[in-house]
Amino acid sequence: MVKCFSSKEGTSKNEDSSSSQTILIPDALCEKAGLTLQWSGIGELGIHAFQHVDKSSIDNPSEFAPTDTFLHNLRTDSILFEPIIRKLVNESNGTFLAVQKLTPSNSARSETLALSRQYRSIVRACIENLQTSELDKNTTYKLNPQQRQHYVAIFYNIEFIWHLCEILFVDSVPGAVVLPHLLDWIRFHFPDTERAAGQILTGPLETGAELRNSDYWDVVIGLIMQGSLEPARALLRLHSNADTECFLQAESLLKTLPVFKVYGGLSTAEFKTRWHTWQTNVTTKLESGVFVSDKNLYTVMKIISGDESSVDEMQSHCETWYQLMVAMLLYKDPTVKTFELNRYATACMAYFGGPDRMKILDEIIMDLFECNILEVIKKLHLSSDSGWAATHLTNLLHYCGRLNIDSQAYDARLDENLLLEYGCLLMSHHSLWQVGVTYLDHCGPQGRACLELLLPKLKPGSESRTLKIIQIAAERDMPNTVNSICKVQGMRCLQRKRIGQALCWALKSQDPGFATHLADKLLLEYTKGGTFNCLDLLDNLGSCMLISDRLTFLGKYCEFQQLFRNGATREAAALLTSLFTSKLCPKYFTLSLLMDSLPLLETTEVTLLSSEDTSNLLACLEELADDCNQPAVIDKIKLIRLAMNKNLAKSLIFEACNPQLFD
């Protein structure tokens, strides 16, 4: 049993070694000889014994009998490779390509906001698929509950972070007043309070709601803290004491609470004046004891008055520090600007234990409030989604002109590097590699270089898949890649004795050397068996035969046979003569070609081969005879020589009697 150690992403050198991942390889030979590894594919390692082990190099040879070496394949895994999550990868690719059609700009645009929301809707759909997959009886793919819960948590956090990033960096907020959007963010991601309010309001619409629902005041305070004033007022009207003075005063104050609207027609200064006037009125009523008759109502009015002493009560109704922050801003600084959020975030975090008790999600939210987008990208990149969020969010922010990390060149390089890593990851998957290609297409020269390296390394599988790989390479003007893939496929076909298919790949690769090699093999097989096993291909080579002299000869020879079979003997004779005079015929095939001339020499049509043609053939025959000493071949040469001599005599007589035909 051999152990391999690989450190996890984001692990520092000072962290405990338990943060490393241990992979056990059950191989006694590797344990004895040690390990070595090599790249065996995209994102895949081949692990095997370090050195050859035989009986002389070990103490107990019987332990390693037989001593065959095993190859262990080790590849990276990704959450994106899960079948239920591949839909996220494919759908987000469409949105990514839509983003690439935009021109990078520093001004906020409705197009980028719409595309950002598309990304979020894709993530939400993925979460819903994960949550409903257990109920789908038709699916054969099942996740265990712990794994499903883990995946849901990952993508929920991604959508949560993306939504906040959209508010702070993508959306166009006049005057940078972000509180209305932050309230929507909190309401959207913490809907339990509104759901509880809905359940109460769908019940009996009569007073005494606080008696029927034990969580009545928790719901009212939660709605007040989320700025949902209408349902909060509706709940107060269902209280047993709704007709008393204190509740009527509270109803009036909540009804007249000024709410800042970006397009409400009021400037920030005018709104602040109204706000302070209203809050002073609330404070005055509190100090005069209007609400002391009901403790819970008194707490509600302290919250909306912005009283510092109400923070502890607010904290008890919040799950997180950012919920508390948004609630405090609503009643302390409703016109807060984006650049001021950091101060409030730090103060609210202190109520929840400070930075020491922060989780990774808290750190990312804090970085967003601090506008430290580089740290956000770093931490997202190290998250469990294999870089999906970091890649797409960085790309979107780049096109919004909102990265602002360093220079524009640095921002563009960061975007390209993340796209490059994400594209390479997808290229390692058997069904997502085409999606990976589209990301590498937008990585500049580095992406093209990666494609040239990775496309030939893809496992070909079926012929249609191989042709698709070749098409992608050809569309991107990568002739060397196309040739490399075709050569590999051709060699595989040749190893399987499929010379015809190998020749097809040689023609696609336009490799003259490989085509010549295959043509020689076909000609040699013909000399032994007298037939071609891929005659249909050879009869239809067309101009493809011109990539190699040997292939040209093979194609013309097949054309000669076709003419002869069809009875076009005169054309066949002319072609045969040209094959000899062109010097294309290989020496090992000369005898076969001369044997094919016998039917033409012995025909009654004396004009098929002229005296000059016959003399050329006779010269080739004598050259062959000088180098041959095999009895069987010598007999054939004598037979051909006799036929040539007879044809030469007949052709000379015919030419002498009909000189006008040869003038």
Side-chain angles (χ1 to χ4, degrees):
M1 190 75 70
V2 183
K3 294 184 179 180
C4 291
F5 298 96
S6 61
S7 60
K8 294 181 180 179
E9 288 183 316
T11 302
S12 67
K13 294 180 180 179
N14 298 326
E15 291 181 17
D16 186 74
S17 60
S18 61
S19 61
S20 297
Q21 184 179 4
T22 303
I23 302 169
L24 300 178
I25 300 178
D27 193 324
L29 183 60
C30 290
E31 187 173 4
K32 183 69 178 179
L35 286 175
T36 187
L37 50 85
Q38 294 177 345
W39 289 108
S40 59
I42 304 175
E44 186 172 310
L45 293 172
I47 302 174
H48 54 86
F50 179 70
Q51 60 185 1
H52 177 69
V53 179
D54 54 25
K55 294 183 180 181
S56 62
S57 61
I58 56 178
D59 299 330
N60 275 321
S62 59
E63 293 181 5
F64 301 99
T67 58
D68 295 335
T69 299
F70 293 96
L71 180 64
H72 307 275
N73 290 320
L74 179 66
R75 71 177 182 88
T76 57
D77 200 5
S78 169
I79 185 177
L80 302 176
F81 297 165
E82 293 286 354
I84 198 169
I85 298 177
R86 288 182 209 163
K87 186 177 180 181
L88 168 86
V89 177
N90 290 310
E91 290 184 352
S92 60
N93 178 245
T95 306
F96 166 77
L97 293 177
V99 173
Q100 309 318 300
K101 296 177 182 178
L102 302 176
T103 303
S105 172
N106 291 328
S107 59
R109 293 173 293 180
S110 58
E111 296 92 341
T112 53
L113 180 60
L115 291 170
S116 177
R117 289 173 176 169
Q118 279 187 30
Y119 277 125
R120 286 203 296 119
S121 67
I122 291 169
V123 178
R124 296 294 298 183
C126 179
I127 295 172
E128 291 177 6
N129 288 339
L130 287 166
Q131 292 173 332
T132 58
S133 61
E134 178 68 17
L135 305 176
D136 189 358
K137 297 181 180 179
N138 297 324
T139 182
T140 57
Y141 176 76
K142 296 290 184 181
L143 287 170
N144 62 62
Q146 294 81 6
Q147 194 176 24
R148 183 185 300 104
Q149 186 177 3
H150 176 61
Y151 289 169
V152 169
I154 289 173
F155 288 104
Y156 175 82
N157 288 341
I158 287 173
E159 201 272 338
F160 185 65
I161 294 166
W162 193 299
H163 192 176
L164 179 59
C165 193
E166 180 182 291
I167 292 170
L168 299 178
F169 296 98
V170 180
D171 198 0
S172 175
V173 182
V177 179
V178 294
L179 183 60
H181 297 290
L182 292 178
L183 287 169
D184 291 337
W185 174 59
I186 291 296
R187 292 190 199 110
F188 185 80
H189 293 282
F190 297 92
D192 292 344
T193 301
E194 290 189 345
R195 288 174 184 167
Q199 290 177 358
I200 296 174
L201 292 172
T202 55
L205 296 179
E206 56 188 29
T207 58
E210 81 284 1
L211 302 176
R212 296 188 297 270
N213 301 276
S214 59
D215 61 344
Y216 173 84
W217 281 110
D218 290 333
V219 174
V220 171
I221 293 174
L223 291 172
I224 293 294
M225 291 175 60
Q226 290 186 359
S228 302
L229 301 182
E230 288 300 323
R233 289 169 53 208
L235 288 179
L236 288 177
R237 288 194 293 268
L238 296 179
H239 195 274
S240 301
N241 300 324
D243 294 333
T244 62
E245 180 63 21
C246 63
F247 275 85
L248 292 175
Q249 290 282 351
E251 163 78 11
S252 176
L253 289 172
L254 289 173
K255 185 176 180 179
T256 58
L257 184 148
V259 178
F260 182 79
K261 296 180 180 178
V262 176
Y263 302 103
L266 286 178
S267 66
T268 304
E270 291 173 327
F271 173 80
K272 284 184 176 180
T273 301
R274 292 189 181 186
W275 171 261
H276 288 306
T277 302
W278 174 86
Q279 205 164 51
T280 301
N281 187 24
V282 175
T283 304
T284 302
K285 292 182 182 296
L286 277 170
E287 292 175 351
S288 63
V290 173
F291 307 107
V292 293
S293 60
D294 192 297
K295 177 183 177 181
N296 292 309
L297 184 61
Y298 184 77
T299 300
V300 170
M301 303 316 292
K302 281 179 64 178
I303 291 174
I304 68 173
S305 70
D307 193 328
E308 290 289 344
S309 62
S310 65
V311 176
D312 291 335
E313 184 66 30
M314 294 171 68
Q315 180 188 353
S316 65
H317 289 84
C318 295
E319 299 177 33
T320 62
W321 60 268
Y322 32 88
Q323 279 180 278
L324 177 62
M325 184 194 80
V326 174
M328 288 178 61
L329 288 173
L330 178 59
Y331 300 108
K332 283 183 176 295
D333 191 358
T335 58
V336 64
K337 304 296 192 293
T338 304
F339 57 84
E340 298 173 325
L341 293 174
N342 177 31
R343 175 165 52 90
Y344 289 102
T346 303
C348 290
M349 186 181 294
Y351 286 98
F352 285 81
D356 294 338
R357 298 186 62 182
M358 287 175 61
K359 298 180 180 179
I360 184 65
L361 178 61
D362 298 308
E363 293 178 5
I364 294 175
I365 298 297
M366 176 58 77
D367 289 331
L368 284 172
F369 287 142
E370 292 176 347
C371 296
N372 191 350
I373 195 64
L374 182 59
E375 281 300 315
V376 173
I377 293 170
K378 285 181 180 178
K379 290 166 183 174
L380 278 178
H381 187 248
L382 297 176
S383 64
S384 303
D385 70 329
S386 302
W388 181 90
T391 300
H392 292 90
L393 183 59
T394 303
N395 180 253
L396 183 66
L397 292 176
H398 171 61
Y399 275 85
C400 292
R402 300 304 300 275
L403 277 180
N404 297 329
I405 297 171
D406 195 338
S407 61
Q408 289 185 352
Y410 179 87
D411 295 347
R413 285 198 304 272
L414 175 62
D415 179 40
E416 286 187 4
N417 288 338
L418 290 173
L419 291 175
L420 189 70
E421 185 175 343
Y422 181 72
C424 290
L425 173 68
L426 297 184
M427 288 287 288
S428 67
H429 191 266
H430 64 89
S431 66
L432 296 176
W433 64 272
Q434 293 185 64
V435 180
V437 169
T438 62
Y439 288 91
L440 295 179
D441 281 340
H442 296 89
C443 296
Q446 290 186 81
R448 179 180 177 84
C450 279
L451 279 176
E452 291 177 342
L453 289 172
L454 296 179
L455 285 175
K457 293 183 180 295
L458 291 172
K459 295 179 180 178
S462 63
E463 183 176 353
S464 60
R465 175 184 166 96
T466 305
L467 292 175
K468 184 64 179 178
I469 297 172
I470 292 172
Q471 178 188 352
I472 287 174
E475 288 173 350
R476 287 151 181 79
D477 191 24
M478 299 177 180
N480 293 334
T481 303
V482 172
N483 293 344
S484 175
I485 296 171
C486 291
K487 287 177 186 178
V488 171
Q489 289 299 107
M491 290 304 298
R492 288 179 176 173
C493 292
L494 185 59
Q495 290 170 358
R496 298 169 187 167
K497 309 298 182 184
R498 298 175 181 175
I499 300 179
Q501 290 184 4
L503 182 58
C504 288
W505 290 114
L507 296 177
K508 284 186 175 69
S509 69
Q510 293 292 299
D511 184 354
F514 191 36
T516 298
H517 176 69
L518 295 173
D520 281 330
K521 277 190 167 295
L522 288 169
L523 290 171
L524 287 169
E525 285 186 1
Y526 182 82
T527 59
K528 296 175 182 178
T531 57
F532 291 111
N533 61 6
C534 53
L535 193 58
D536 290 343
L537 173 63
L538 297 176
D539 286 342
N540 296 280
L541 285 174
S543 60
C544 294
M545 69 175 71
L546 299 177
I547 68 168
S548 160
D549 288 347
R550 192 60 44 82
L551 188 60
T552 301
F553 170 79
L554 176 60
K556 288 298 181 182
Y557 179 70
C558 291
E559 184 180 340
F560 158 75
Q561 287 191 327
Q562 189 175 22
L563 290 171
F564 188 79
R565 286 195 304 269
N566 295 336
T569 54
R570 189 172 299 279
E571 291 82 357
L575 183 55
L576 179 70
T577 304
S578 68
L579 288 176
F580 278 108
T581 56
S582 65
K583 305 297 183 180
L584 292 177
C585 179
K587 193 170 184 179
Y588 62 81
F589 200 75
T590 303
L591 180 61
S592 297
L593 192 61
L594 288 170
M595 290 296 293
D596 288 329
S597 68
L598 279 176
L600 301 175
L601 293 169
E602 295 174 349
T603 183
T604 56
E605 297 183 43
V606 294
T607 56
L608 286 181
L609 291 171
S610 66
S611 59
E612 183 180 358
D613 295 336
T614 308
S615 298
N616 290 332
L617 267 64
L618 191 58
C620 294
L621 179 67
E622 295 303 329
E623 184 179 348
L624 177 64
D626 292 341
D627 298 333
C628 181
N629 54 10
Q630 299 177 12
V633 176
I634 292 174
D635 292 341
K636 290 181 180 180
I637 290 175
K638 290 180 179 179
L639 180 64
I640 297 170
R641 184 184 288 116
L642 178 61
M644 286 185 178
N645 289 334
K646 290 181 179 180
N647 185 77
L648 182 61
K650 287 191 293 183
S651 61
L652 287 171
I653 294 172
F654 179 80
E655 292 168 8
C657 295
N658 301 279
Q660 71 278 4
L661 298 177
F662 302 96
D663 291 341

